[in-house]
């Protein structure tokens, strides 16, 4: 059976109101937590393909996940 897992981006930074929604980065908490989430996921799942938005915060979350998700 195929499964679909959905994952929301880590905490985003709202300080710069001039940025578009697409360009909003992660805040410090999001940057800290993304690798932690990756490490937690690594305890349960083998690496798998991800399909993600091109939004800055989604890309940064994915990079953090990969940093924490070791084989």
């Amino acid at each position: 059976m195929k499964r679909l897992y959905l994952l929301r981006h880590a905490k985003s930074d709202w300080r710069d109101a001039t940025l578009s929604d697409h360009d909003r980065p992660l805040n410090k908490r999001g940057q800290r937590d993304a690798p932690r989430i990756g490490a937690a996921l690594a305890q349960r799942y083998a690496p798998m393909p991800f399909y993600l938005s091109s939004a800055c915060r989604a890309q940064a979350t994915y990079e953090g996940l990969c940093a924490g998700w070791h084989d």
Side-chain angles (χ1 to χ4, degrees):
M1 171 182 8
K2 292 185 181 189
R3 293 188 176 163
L4 173 66
Y5 298 99
L6 301 176
L7 178 70
R8 190 172 190 271
H9 60 79
K11 185 71 176 162
S12 59
D13 189 346
W14 285 80
R15 286 180 295 170
D16 189 348
T18 65
L19 289 176
S20 71
D21 183 58
H22 190 270
D23 295 332
R24 200 170 9 162
L26 296 180
N27 68 11
K28 287 182 182 182
R29 186 175 115 198
Q31 293 171 7
R32 180 198 69 206
D33 288 349
R36 291 177 177 180
I37 296 165
L41 290 172
Q43 293 177 9
R44 292 195 61 171
Y45 303 104
M48 63 182 76
F50 274 73
Y51 301 94
L52 54 140
S53 165
S54 62
C56 181
R57 64 190 178 278
Q59 296 290 322
T61 299
Y62 178 70
E63 290 172 13
L65 284 175
C66 290
W69 195 328
H70 302 289
D71 291 335

